[in-house]
Amino acid sequence: LFSYAKKEGFAIPAVNVVGTDSINAVLEAASKVKSPVIVQFSNGGAGFYAGKGLKTSDAAVLGAISGANHVHTMAKAYGIPVILHTDHAAKKLLPWIDGLLDAGKEHFEKTKRPLFTSHMLDLSEESLEENIEICVEYFKKMNAIDMMIEIELGITGGEEDGVVGSGEVADPAECKQIADLGIDFLAAGIGNIHGKYPANWAGLNFEVLGKINEATGDMPLVLHGGSGIPDEMIKEAISLGVAKINVNTECQLVFADATRKYIEE
Ligand code: 13P
């Protein structure tokens, strides 16, 4: 699907969700425009899905499993292909992925289909060697149950789930190393930021994106921090190999605004 998107010049939206209401909104929107869509959970989003009051160490594992099962049950009724993904698992969140892979293995043995389509490991704050070593180890486990892996090079700026990224642009030569390993898709930092873009934002670095695209061939690229990027920049990013675009903040703001209005009325 990602290779098809890259070849045909479109990107699949990956929308962060926190409950059945936000999942249903994503499914409904995708169904209205007849588009495949990616439903994704951050660790915080999965914990929220389980209930903020649940303090067990596996709350985010249970929340993500419950959310995935909701999607498995509902997607057919909305009539669109849905990819289930988890967002940014930094090194300290690997136990979350371990829990999901245990559940994923069980699900695969029963149904011959993966519970999640893919997980993202974000070891961009670690050394390249460690990033590659850990990702390859997980890549093998995921491949065995028909899953894909997303990894990050360079660092998305801004804040998500309380994690503040410094905003580092990826090195095309390092991106090529990742593509050569056969990793499924790559989030490469190109000046993109989680959360709202500041008024003095320099924009996406298309020169670097072009070089990364050239160096990585058919590998689908991922653009994080999708909220607030002007349409023209989105189009240019897609023309340079971006096949997955993450959106979170925009949906949270609309949801918060609508809730406030409802309370005021
Ligand atoms: P925004 O919150 O800026 O939309 O970014 C979403 C994202 O990249 C999730 O990983």
Side-chain angles (χ1 to χ4, degrees):
L1 189 55
F2 286 105
S3 304
Y4 180 74
K6 182 162 176 169
K7 214 167 79 209
E8 293 296 315
F10 70 95
I12 306 168
V15 190
N16 286 68
V17 294
V18 294
T20 50
D21 46 4
S22 52
I23 293 179
N24 296 341
V26 174
L27 299 182
E28 187 181 328
S31 170
K32 278 186 180 152
V33 296
K34 297 190 174 54
S35 166
V37 75
I38 301 161
V39 168
Q40 67 186 10
F41 296 84
S42 68
N43 178 267
F48 192 90
Y49 196 101
K52 290 278 265 187
L54 187 66
K55 301 292 182 205
T56 59
S57 58
D58 60 352
V61 173
L62 296 176
I65 294 172
S66 178
N69 282 323
H70 177 79
V71 173
H72 282 288
T73 307
M74 299 310 299
K76 243 192 218 150
Y78 284 90
I80 33 130
V82 182
I83 290 170
L84 266 162
H85 179 74
T86 59
D87 204 14
H88 297 279
K91 197 172 171 184
K92 68 170 193 259
L93 294 181
L94 289 178
W96 177 47
I97 299 299
D98 292 336
L100 291 178
L101 286 177
D102 287 344
K105 207 163 162 247
E106 216 175 282
H107 184 92
F108 189 79
E109 276 159 14
K110 268 196 225 142
T111 66
K112 300 286 167 253
R113 294 177 63 116
L115 179 63
F116 277 86
T117 322
S118 48
H119 295 308
M120 174 192 193
L121 298 199
D122 177 1
L123 301 163
S124 56
E125 302 274 357
E126 316 305 325
S127 70
L128 179 66
E129 291 70 31
E130 194 175 4
N131 189 343
I132 290 180
E133 190 186 324
I134 297 177
C135 286
V136 166
E137 180 194 324
Y138 278 82
F139 178 51
K140 287 182 187 156
K141 286 188 210 167
M142 291 182 205
N143 255 338
I145 51 173
D146 217 5
M147 290 184 64
M148 300 188 290
I149 189 169
E150 173 182 343
I151 84 161
E152 176 156 323
L153 286 184
I155 302 171
T156 308
E159 195 230 309
E160 185 169 83
D161 265 8
V163 178
V164 181
S166 52
E168 197 180 277
V169 170
D171 173 1
E174 290 183 0
C175 295
K176 181 174 170 7
Q177 258 179 278
I178 298 302
D180 290 347
L181 288 171
I183 297 284
D184 300 292
F185 36 101
L186 173 69
I190 50 163
N192 41 330
I193 297 173
H194 286 136
K196 281 186 172 175
Y197 282 87
N200 63 353
W201 178 50
L204 297 175
N205 189 330
F206 290 116
E207 198 189 327
V208 169
L209 180 59
K211 284 185 185 154
I212 292 171
N213 190 31
E214 227 169 82
T216 57
D218 294 337
M219 177 183 238
L221 301 172
V222 183
L223 181 62
H224 282 248
S227 299
I229 299 180
D231 287 2
E232 287 316 308
M233 282 195 199
I234 295 278
K235 284 182 191 154
E236 188 159 356
I238 292 171
S239 77
L240 293 170
V242 166
K244 170 178 184 272
I245 300 184
N246 287 11
V247 181
N248 182 12
T249 302
E250 230 168 284
C251 301
Q252 306 257 12
L253 293 177
V254 169
F255 186 86
D257 266 4
T259 308
R260 255 182 232 115
K261 272 193 201 120
Y262 180 78
I263 293 168
E264 280 159 15
E265 278 165 17

